[in-house]
Amino acid sequence: MSKTVAAIRSVKARAVVVPLKRPVKNAFGIFTSGPLVLIDVETDQGVTGRAYIFAYTNLTLKPLVQLIEDLGRELVGKPVVPFELMAAMDAKFRLLGWQGLVGMAVSGLDMAYWDALGQIANKTVAELLGGSPKPIKAYDSYGAVDPVADEKDLRRSLDQGFVG
C-alpha cells in the first residue's frame, strides 16, 4: 500500500436497469430486470473504487442515487479508511437507523472504499481482510420455482453443472 492514505476526490452514482435473461420469482413478485445503482468512489491517487447495489424496484433508483451523491459531497477530502467512514455514517444516521435506503447506500459506499483500497495495495479485498482468495461454488437462483413450468430452465441449469 502507498505511504499516504488515499483521499476521496468524488463520488458518483448512476442508475441502470439490466434486463434479466430469465425472470426471477420471489414472495414479492417476478423480477424481469435488475434495477442497480453503480457507485464510483474516485480517489486522489487516480484509483476508482467501484460497487453496485441491487435496488429491488425502479422506484428506489432515483432516491438511492440522490442519497449516495449527497453523502459523496460530504466525503470529498476524507481519507479512504472504511472503519472511520462507517463510524461517521453510524453517528450521522444513529437516530434514523440502517434499514432501507440508508443501509443500502452506506453499504454500497463501503464496498467501493474497499475496492479502492484493494486496487491501491494491489491485493484482493479478501487479502486486505487477512484471508486469501479461493474458488466458491456458484449457484443458479430461481427464487420460487414451479417444477412443471420451470422444468426446461431447471434442466438447463443442471446440464451446466449446477446442483440442487
Side-chain angles (χ1 to χ4, degrees), residues 16-38:
V16 296
V17 178
V18 180
L20 298 177
K21 196 176 209 178
R22 180 189 71 237
V24 175
K25 296 173 254 176
N26 68 16
F28 301 109
I30 298 174
F31 288 94
T32 57
S33 62
L36 306 174
V37 176
L38 310 181

Side-chain angles (χ1 to χ4, degrees), residues 65-146:
V65 166
Q66 185 70 52
L67 179 57
I68 291 164
E69 290 192 337
D70 287 348
L71 289 170
R73 282 188 274 288
E74 296 178 14
L75 294 168
V76 171
K78 297 207 182 317
V80 183
V81 181
F83 181 80
E84 292 176 14
L85 292 167
M86 291 301 282
M89 290 293 132
D90 188 42
K92 178 185 257 335
F93 294 113
R94 181 151 301 164
L95 293 177
L96 186 58
W98 287 94
Q99 289 74 30
L101 301 182
V102 169
M104 294 167 72
V106 173
S107 296
L109 286 165
D110 187 53
M111 288 184 283
Y113 306 149
W114 283 103
D115 182 53
L117 290 178
Q119 290 180 60
I120 291 166
N122 199 28
K123 292 183 176 184
T124 65
V125 173
E127 291 169 316
L128 287 177
L129 297 173
S132 60
K134 53 185 143 198
I136 58 171
K137 289 185 177 182
Y139 67 94
D140 197 5
S141 180
Y142 280 82
V145 176
D146 177 336

